[in-house]
Amino acid sequence: MKSLGTRLKVGTGFGPMAVFKRSPTAGGAGQARTDNTASAESALLPVTVRPGHNLFAPLPDWVRDWHSNFELNETVLTEAASGRVRLFGQDAFDVGWPVQWGRDPLTRRVAPDLPASGIDVWNPKNVGSIRYTWELGRQQHLVPLAVGYAVAGNTAYRESIAFQIQGWIEQCPQGMGVHWTNATEVAIRLLSWTLAHGIIVLRDGEQGLLGTVPGLERALYQHLSHLIESLGAGGTPDHERVTRLLALYVSPSVFDFGSEGRAWRDLANTTLTELIAERVGRDGLWPDRSTDVQARLLETLALAYSVGRRFREPWIGDLARFLSATRSFLTALCPEGGRAPRVGEAVDGSVSRFAARAFSDTRLELDQLAAVALGDPPQGEQLSEKAFWLGWLAWGMVPERQQRRSHGDSVALAMQLFRDAGHGVLRAPRVYVDVVAGQPQGGHFSTQGDADALSYSLAVDGCYWFVDPGSYCGDDRPDWRAYFRSTTAHNTVRVDRKNQGEGGGLIQRRRRFSVEVSDAGHSDQRAFLQAEHTGYDHLGVHHVRRFQLELDGSSLFLLDEFFGKGEHRLESAFHLAPDVDPKLEAGGGRVTLRRPGCGTIVTLNTPKDWSLVVVKGQDDPKLGWYSRQPGHKQPSYCVVAKYKGRLPIRARTLIEISLAS
């Protein structure tokens, strides 16, 4: 493959006449190219399909099988086909017709039509809410439209797909506008086009989208070129690197870009294998305590594994251990009847979409994706449509689901420690505690993660009482981003009004610190975990916290030890779920917690000689907020226990749980 610098610069003129020039020696439509020399003329040669390389192997009666599991949501599909698109699971946004790709659907602000390198995407005054613009530009809503066309033959869906892609190509020339500012968005859009093509092929034959969208072949090439150029960029989060490599592998597996495309595909294979070998630890997990990041990686690599099986790649065995371990991890992090907490950095959206509406149970869908990729029967009363398509992709057959097993069918471990992911889980039959008990070393998130060491979440009967605050926004709201990532926004202890580590703002820590588990296990009566961190060692304070959960579910005990000298300020926060109401009892130190319609009562007994304040929805300084998903925040109660005095000291907190019968 020739260097990027010698490759022909592709023009930016788009429209009905901007179709590839065809070499006299190139094969006709539907034929694989046979040239073996990568050259500057690569961009001028035709892109064709690779015969026999559609994503989905021929499967008789697949339409019948699809209808036995799903129904067409014609309302949502008709909206998506005419300029009303659902983003982040919210109501449909009017995105214009033709779609205005550079306009933020939320604020309706139009981004400047400038070279991508010159656009400050994190300035809402310039671009509005960039995450909504990017989510629209991923064009994931086109894949459900392709499903609707393949299942029902509604040509309006297919015509809309072609019209929307052509409109994007004409409005967003290569390198211009916000949709070229982030290579991960380029990768997800390329995946959307490739998946839509693969589904349309099931009804129309292997040409699919090729030849129906003026400029599509050139745009496919440009997207791949952009991804190649982005691979060397530093500071890219792991889940985004994996997404880019996935697109760089999948698209040349389906479309023929000649020797250059084959070289890119081989590079993606090699780099992905090396990245997994480098980053996946002894637990089989990615070293990142963000539950969103782990979920994104599972979805991305389940898709990579499925495509790898489809095309018989030898490297897919390297992914099996990761998929199995991450599946077990996310299952362990999920309390019975509830969902895993959203700890750490939030990730917007998903890598792929097949259904008109999002699946109702995110954790169950992730479990099904890992299951179908690995050839296991997916569990659940309902089958995820994404799992349906991945099962077909990986094994050439529609997956048959089994009834969902409950935790009661097996003995749940009282204590599980996931060192690579930085989590510890304590579990009684009806009570669950997730502890942030690790800090990844090296990599992007080692300096940008939340300052939340030794924080925890507490759930009873699947409902959370003490919560991680979530992640409200990205870099477009630096004040709110700084709060939601701060130590005071988590259920841990802040020292001298500073975050763990050093620094603040968007990057919470300019000083790295470590979190180590020093003791963990369980007996017949209780489960326990003890950990410590060095986030305040630069202040002369070392924090050790011990968690002890009674296995009858009656109480959770916290013992905080602060080693050091001199006088310091300590603030221990207890962030409550939005529907939990606290009542401070006379005399202080004891807070009764209740939620409407729930017979369980939780009582918080804070350390003696510590003062208490109860805050909800405070703006200055920010305190008492909860975010269930990016873009959403709401007031929620926070109890703060405060101490000012000399160290060393011990502080005991008892959380009593009176379980409803």
Side-chain angles (χ1 to χ4, degrees):
M1 181 177 69
K2 290 203 171 187
S3 67
L4 297 172
T6 61
R7 187 180 298 116
L8 178 67
K9 298 297 183 182
V10 182
T12 58
F14 289 87
M17 299 304 294
V19 183
F20 276 14
K21 297 178 181 178
R22 297 188 176 270
S23 165
T25 61
Q31 295 179 331
R33 282 175 36 190
T34 58
D35 56 296
N36 295 313
T37 304
S39 70
E41 296 182 356
S42 296
L44 299 181
L45 294 173
V47 174
T48 63
V49 296
R50 300 183 67 193
H53 276 69
N54 188 45
L55 290 172
F56 305 99
L59 185 65
D61 300 324
W62 77 266
V63 174
R64 181 198 62 193
D65 292 333
W66 187 93
H67 278 294
S68 68
N69 289 283
F70 314 107
E71 294 181 358
L72 276 184
N73 191 322
E74 295 186 8
T75 299
V76 177
L77 292 177
T78 300
E79 288 177 344
S82 56
R84 290 186 58 80
V85 178
R86 295 173 185 268
L87 305 174
F88 299 124
Q90 301 179 23
D91 292 337
F93 288 86
D94 181 0
V95 297
W97 195 254
V99 176
Q100 302 301 299
W101 297 106
R103 186 178 69 186
D104 165 27
L106 185 65
T107 67
R108 306 185 76 78
R109 186 179 293 275
V110 178
D113 187 18
L114 298 172
S117 59
I119 301 176
D120 180 5
V121 296
W122 300 118
N123 185 346
K125 294 181 180 179
N126 289 338
V127 300
S129 181
I130 187 60
R131 295 185 186 277
Y132 281 82
T133 311
W134 278 345
E135 182 72 7
L136 174 64
R138 293 176 176 184
Q139 300 191 21
Q140 292 180 317
H141 62 282
L142 301 186
V143 183
L145 283 173
V147 172
Y149 170 67
V151 168
N154 188 334
T155 57
Y157 297 156
R158 189 187 192 285
E159 292 169 358
S160 178
I161 293 169
F163 183 68
Q164 292 190 53
I165 293 176
Q166 182 179 357
W168 187 93
I169 290 172
E170 293 175 347
Q171 293 178 37
C172 307
Q174 184 182 25
M176 295 293 292
V178 294
H179 293 297
W180 292 97
T181 56
N182 186 323
T184 302
E185 305 305 314
V186 173
I188 294 177
R189 183 167 49 254
L190 181 59
L191 285 171
S192 296
W193 290 352
T194 306
L195 290 169
H197 165 85
I199 294 170
I200 288 173
V201 164
L202 297 173
R203 176 170 285 270
D204 286 2
E206 65 181 13
Q207 281 302 102
L209 283 174
L210 292 189
T212 65
V213 182
L216 176 60
E217 293 90 342
R218 183 190 296 250
L220 290 169
Y221 182 90
Q222 290 173 339
H223 278 59
L224 287 167
S225 299
H226 190 88
L227 293 178
I228 281 289
E229 293 170 2
S230 76
L231 290 185
T236 303
D238 284 337
H239 68 275
E240 295 195 19
R241 294 170 66 192
V242 171
T243 301
R244 297 174 189 183
L245 290 169
L246 173 64
L248 193 59
Y249 162 65
V250 171
S251 190
S253 296
V254 175
F255 302 111
D256 186 2
F257 298 90
S259 58
E260 197 166 23
R262 291 190 289 274
W264 291 345
R265 183 171 173 270
D266 291 343
L267 176 63
N269 291 349
T270 302
T271 307
L272 184 59
T273 303
E274 292 174 350
L275 181 61
I276 292 170
E278 172 192 344
R279 297 293 281 148
V280 172
R282 293 170 298 174
D283 290 351
L285 299 170
W286 220 274
D288 200 305
R289 56 189 161 68
S290 166
T291 54
D292 268 14
V293 168
Q294 295 284 359
R296 167 63 72 82
L297 286 164
L298 184 145
E299 180 198 358
T300 308
L301 293 180
L303 180 56
Y305 186 91
S306 300
V307 177
R309 275 202 60 85
R310 170 73 177 97
F311 299 126
R312 297 178 176 84
E313 300 288 358
W315 50 264
I316 62 171
D318 297 330
L319 300 185
R321 185 169 72 97
F322 171 81
L323 290 176
S324 180
T326 306
R327 179 187 182 189
S328 297
F329 167 67
L330 292 174
T331 297
L333 235 63
C334 181
E336 174 64 24
R339 297 189 176 189
R342 299 192 69 170
V343 174
E345 187 78 6
V347 177
D348 296 332
S350 62
V351 174
S352 61
R353 238 183 92 189
F354 292 88
R357 283 186 178 273
F359 192 64
S360 58
D361 188 333
T362 303
R363 193 215 58 81
L364 177 59
E365 180 174 58
L366 290 170
D367 184 75
Q368 290 186 355
L369 296 184
V372 298
L374 296 172
D376 295 336
Q379 304 295 321
E381 297 81 7
Q382 184 182 6
L383 181 66
S384 159
E385 192 163 351
K386 192 178 296 186
F388 174 94
W389 290 98
L390 256 64
W392 181 356
L393 179 57
W395 298 92
M397 63 182 66
V398 172
E400 294 185 5
R401 67 185 185 279
Q402 291 184 355
Q403 202 69 2
R404 183 178 183 179
R405 293 190 300 262
S406 68
H407 289 299
D409 294 336
S410 60
V411 178
L413 297 177
M415 197 288 299
Q416 291 176 274
L417 183 60
F418 302 92
R419 292 183 182 274
D420 293 336
H423 285 261
V425 176
L426 309 178
R427 191 188 299 271
R430 297 172 60 184
V431 180
Y432 154 100
V433 182
D434 170 56
V435 179
V436 177
Q439 196 71 258
Q441 298 301 307
H444 178 75
F445 287 100
S446 64
T447 57
Q448 294 196 25
D450 292 2
D452 59 353
L454 310 191
S455 183
Y456 64 97
S457 303
L458 170 67
V460 180
D461 293 330
C463 295
Y464 283 97
W465 290 74
F466 296 92
V467 295
D468 185 277
S471 296
Y472 164 50
C473 58
D475 296 344
D476 52 336
R477 297 293 303 274
D479 53 341
W480 282 105
R481 182 166 173 81
Y483 166 72
F484 276 96
R485 303 179 75 180
S486 68
T487 299
T488 195
H490 294 86
N491 297 320
T492 187
V493 181
R494 184 173 70 157
V495 178
D496 294 338
R497 298 178 177 175
K498 297 184 182 297
N499 289 320
Q500 296 166 351
E502 210 176 56
L506 298 183
I507 299 180
Q508 291 290 347
R509 298 187 306 278
R510 290 190 289 269
R511 180 195 295 272
R512 295 185 182 183
F513 65 94
S514 63
V515 185
E516 297 292 338
V517 175
S518 53
D519 192 17
H522 65 90
S523 65
D524 292 339
Q525 290 80 34
R526 57 190 60 89
F528 54 89
L529 185 151
Q530 180 172 298
E532 55 193 273
H533 71 86
T534 62
Y536 291 118
D537 282 19
H538 65 288
L539 300 177
V541 179
H542 189 76
H543 182 197
V544 180
R545 171 171 273 191
R546 184 177 183 85
F547 298 82
Q548 185 170 293
L549 175 67
E550 297 299 311
L551 295 186
D552 62 1
S554 62
S555 65
L556 172 67
F557 175 73
L558 309 181
L559 174 62
D560 289 297
E561 296 182 274
F562 301 91
F563 299 94
K565 296 181 180 180
E567 187 173 275
H568 295 272
R569 293 176 180 267
L570 308 176
E571 297 167 299
S572 183
F574 305 88
H575 291 269
L576 309 182
D579 60 343
V580 174
D581 293 318
K583 181 180 180 182
L584 181 61
E585 297 187 8
R590 185 177 172 90
V591 184
T592 301
L593 311 177
R594 290 184 170 86
R595 65 185 340 137
C598 179
T600 295
I601 299 174
V602 176
T603 305
L604 174 63
N605 300 276
T606 56
K608 294 181 179 179
D609 304 324
W610 290 48
S611 61
L612 283 184
V613 296
V614 179
V615 178
K616 182 178 185 180
Q618 180 176 285
D619 286 322
D620 190 16
K622 292 179 171 57
L623 187 63
W625 295 93
Y626 173 74
S627 173
R628 68 173 183 269
Q629 64 185 33
H632 164 272
K633 67 175 172 60
Q634 68 185 97
S636 62
Y637 282 108
C638 177
V639 178
V640 183
K642 299 183 177 183
Y643 170 85
K644 181 179 180 181
R646 301 188 64 82
L647 303 186
I649 66 163
R650 285 186 169 190
R652 296 174 173 82
T653 300
L654 177 63
I655 301 172
E656 299 174 288
I657 305 169
S658 299
L659 295 168
S661 57

